[in-house]
Amino acid sequence: MQDRPRRLRRTPALRALTREVHLHPSQFIHPIFVHERDTVTDIATMPGVQRHSIDSAVAQAREALALGIPSVILFGIPDHKDALGTQAYAEEGIIQRATRAIKASVPGISVIADTCLCEYTDHGHCGPLCEVPGHSGADAWTVDNDASLALLAQTAVSQARAGADVIAPSAMMDGQVAAIRAALDAAGFTHIPVMSYAVKYASAYYGPFRDAAGSTPSVGNRATYQMDPAGGYREALREARLDAEQGADTLMVKPALAYLDVLNLLKREFDLPVVAYNVSGEYSLIKAAAAAGFMDERRTVLETLTGFRRAGADAIITYHAMDAARWIAEDARK
């Protein structure tokens, strides 16, 4: 008897009946950039994405929830930056104020707070800098890992105090999950989960985000603390295992598109939810190609997001979240 797989692909109904991977807005996390202005401004390198006022961020959260998207992740853009990133952990910092406003107006949505210092330091790195004795030139400085831990822990507690439902440390400092978990527990936030950016690569795909957040390093780069793209599976497993042991509740792979094999590896190796971050450069590539008429945006976005799910992602942070949710709803009504 001849095997004919095409039988089950003959009609849309048959394809839907036998589909193994399903995409739903409940799997999406919508990112929101919040600045300390009363205006909404476009981000040139990320068509369709804006820097929002607090009021506009509240409206974004409300719209996301109405579309079936249960979570937003907040990135703050302060007016004041300094060497220690003090606005990251200020009680009246932009993320803290935005979180309180969203939770007061849209209580049904989950607010995830990106927990890092790079958007708040005047040098653009993820922690305070220190000199390296006996070195000169580009090797004469580094990010002070242990000093950063104290500031990240302080940031996490201030975000939880403001009402954040999830703390998401992204600095890639050694021991950051343990430091944050201990600080949250000591402050009475034992119920707040940690979504760890466990496997985060020093990637060229972050370019548009750094433009959006004003976080491009003024000196050097982040390759001394973010992971080497050619590092392979050993480093990825080590980083993920350390974060899991330190108390991470979920593990993230960032970027997602070029690292689907790593995403799948974490899904198979750890009994924790895995999050894919569909980063700014991946988003902008599709937007630019679609604007030039090279690709069908809708089909490309949904195929890409489905690929993350097939590789093992339980949730996806994506700038396409709103559009994808609308398209999925439209397809369901057909």
Side-chain angles (χ1 to χ4, degrees):
M1 182 178 63
Q2 186 177 6
D3 193 1
R4 293 184 180 272
R6 286 181 55 188
R7 289 173 181 149
L8 295 178
R9 299 198 292 263
R10 187 174 56 84
T11 67
L14 285 172
R15 292 193 294 273
L17 182 67
T18 57
R19 193 165 288 149
E20 295 179 62
V21 180
H22 295 272
L23 198 61
H24 192 272
S26 62
Q27 299 150 355
F28 300 156
I29 299 169
H30 175 56
I32 304 176
F33 294 100
V34 192
H35 64 180
E36 300 192 76
R37 314 289 170 86
D38 293 330
T39 57
V40 177
T41 60
D42 292 334
I43 299 167
T45 53
M46 299 180 69
V49 179
Q50 296 83 30
R51 299 180 189 90
H52 291 273
S53 66
I54 290 178
D55 287 346
S56 180
V58 170
Q60 282 273 297
R62 185 177 293 112
E63 183 178 1
L65 189 61
L67 289 168
I69 300 168
S71 301
V72 296
I73 183 167
L74 303 184
F75 299 96
I77 307 167
D79 281 344
H80 170 75
K81 300 189 179 193
D82 55 44
L84 296 178
T86 56
Q87 286 302 300
Y89 40 90
E91 292 302 316
E92 292 301 315
I94 183 60
I95 288 299
Q96 288 77 2
R97 286 186 285 129
T99 299
R100 287 195 288 268
I102 290 172
K103 293 303 294 184
S105 298
V106 196
I109 202 156
S110 174
V111 173
I112 303 168
D114 178 73
T115 306
C116 195
L117 302 177
C118 64
E119 295 138 71
Y120 306 90
T121 56
D122 53 13
H123 46 73
H125 280 282
C126 299
L129 302 181
C130 63
E131 294 182 356
V132 180
H135 290 72
S136 60
D139 296 328
W141 60 271
T142 188
V143 174
D144 188 327
N145 191 96
D146 293 354
S148 299
L149 297 184
L151 299 182
L152 291 168
Q154 189 175 346
T155 301
V157 171
S158 73
Q159 292 170 337
R161 191 177 293 123
D165 297 287
V166 180
I167 298 299
S170 60
M172 287 301 287
M173 294 295 115
D174 292 342
Q176 64 180 13
V177 172
I180 287 170
R181 183 72 271 161
L184 290 172
D185 291 353
F189 295 109
T190 57
H191 60 290
I192 298 295
V194 174
M195 176 185 287
S196 170
Y197 286 66
V199 179
K200 180 180 178 182
Y201 291 90
S203 173
Y205 283 99
Y206 304 152
F209 177 96
R210 291 176 182 175
D211 173 51
S215 61
T216 301
S218 60
V219 58
N221 55 53
R222 298 193 177 107
T224 61
Y225 48 100
Q226 293 179 357
M227 292 167 56
D228 182 359
Y233 295 153
R234 179 176 58 199
E235 186 178 29
L237 285 172
R238 183 183 186 192
E239 288 283 3
R241 185 170 292 112
L242 284 169
D243 282 5
E245 291 171 351
Q246 290 171 28
D249 297 282
T250 69
L251 303 172
M252 188 190 302
V253 176
K254 178 183 179 184
L257 192 57
Y259 301 92
L260 293 178
D261 57 333
V262 178
L263 180 65
N264 183 255
L265 178 69
L266 264 60
K267 183 65 175 179
R268 289 185 283 108
E269 292 290 329
F270 296 93
D271 189 23
L272 289 173
V274 178
V275 180
Y277 195 147
N278 180 204
V279 300
S280 60
E282 298 166 353
Y283 169 87
S284 295
L285 283 173
I286 292 177
K287 296 295 283 190
F294 297 158
M295 301 174 74
D296 181 305
E297 180 179 355
R298 177 173 177 155
R299 288 186 61 196
T300 305
V301 168
L302 294 178
E303 182 176 345
T304 300
L305 298 179
T306 299
F308 298 145
R309 288 279 296 140
R310 189 177 59 251
D314 297 287
I316 305 166
I317 300 172
T318 178
Y319 303 94
H320 298 291
M322 295 279 214
D323 285 338
R326 293 188 190 99
W327 295 331
I328 291 169
E330 288 172 6
D331 289 342
R333 288 194 293 268
K334 291 179 180 177

